[in-house]
Amino acid sequence: MSASASQSELRLVVLGRTGAGKRSAVSAILNLQDPDQGADASGVRECSKLIGEAAGRQVVLVSSPAWFGSACNPEERRKHISSFIALSSPGPHAFLLCVPLNQPADGEFKALDALEKLFGQSVTRNTIILFTHTEELGEDEQLEEYLVTWRKDLRQLVERCGDRYHTLETRDGEEAERKAVEELLEKVEEVTTESGTQHFSCPLYEEAEERVRGRQAEIAKQRRGAEETNDRESPTDSQPEENVTEEEMEAARDEAERSIGDLNVDVDDIFPPACVSPSSTSPSFLWGLWEKLTGWIKWLPTLVRREALLGALVGLFVGGPAGGMVGATVGSVATEVGRRKTQKTK
C-alpha cells in the first residue's frame, strides 16, 4: 500500500457479537443496495474487506466474526484475529464496536478486555461504540436520554471508550441516514487527530505490516517472472529477483493480506479457561431474591419504569461489580418482556 493511498483512506474495523448489526452498519456506511454484501449473518465464518466511498472519502471496512464469543474455539480465534489485523494493516483509524441496544453489555465488556490484551489499553482511545437495534427506543425517546436514565451498563461501556458513541439508525429517511454516516466519519477523524498518529498501531500491527510487505514483494516478483517467461524465448534471460516497483507491490496487496497465516497471538492468555469464583452468588439466593423483588414491584406505580428499577434493586442486593452486571441483565430482560407485552396489547 502506497503512503499516499494509506493517508487518503479511512480504515475501520467493525466488531460485534453475532446478530449485533455489523452487516447493517457496513451497508449503511458504504450505501450498499444489497445488504448481503455486508458481513453479519450467523453463517459468515470469515473476515471480509470492502472498499467504497462515503461522504467524499475512500473507506475500507474490515468486518470480523465474533471471535471474542464463548462459541469460538482457540484455533478459530487465532485465525479471525490474524485475518482482521492483516486486512486492516498497517492499522485502522478506528474500531467500531457494534452494540445492540436490546441486550445487556456483558459480551461487549469482554470484547474490550480482549482488545486491550491484544493491542494495549490505548486501543479504547480508537474505539467508537456504534449502537444498533435502536428500534427498542420509545417513539419520542432519545438515545442519550435512554442511556442516562436506564442503562448504567451501556454508560459504563461508553465511558470506557472516552464517551465516543454513535448510531447510524434513524427514522427520518435516507437523507438523515447519509448525515449519520457523515457524522460518524467526522468522529473517526477526530479520534485520529486526538491520538496524534496517522492511524492506530501496536507491535501486532507492525508485525502484520512487515509480513504483508514481504509477501507483496514475493508475489510481485513471481508475477513478473511469470510474465517475462511468457514474453521471452529463454526464461534464463529474465531477472525476476530485481527490485519491484511500488505499483507492482500495490497490485499484490490484496493477495498478500489474505495469505498471511497466524500472527503471534497468545489466545490462551487472552481467553483463559472459564472459572467460577468461590464468592459467586448461589442460584438459590438469586431465585429467592427474584421472587421477593417481583412481589414488591407489583405494588409500584405504573408511571415508574419497573423493569429498570428491578435491575437496580438486584444490583444493590447482590453488590459489587457482579451485582452491577446482574442488575443490568435483569433490567434489560425485564425491559424487553415489558415492551413485548405492551405491543401485544395494542
Side-chain angles (χ1 to χ4, degrees), residues 105-127:
D106 52 338
E108 284 67 36
F109 278 107
K110 293 177 181 177
L112 286 183
D113 289 342
L115 286 174
E116 287 184 345
K117 289 181 179 180
L118 271 173
F119 303 132
Q121 293 187 343
S122 63
V123 70
T124 54
R125 296 201 296 266
N126 287 75
T127 301

Side-chain angles (χ1 to χ4, degrees), residues 282-292:
S282 65
S284 59
F285 170 78
L286 288 177
W287 180 251
L289 180 62
W290 173 268
E291 290 184 328
K292 289 182 181 180

Side-chain angles (χ1 to χ4, degrees), residues 59 304 320:
V59 178
V304 178

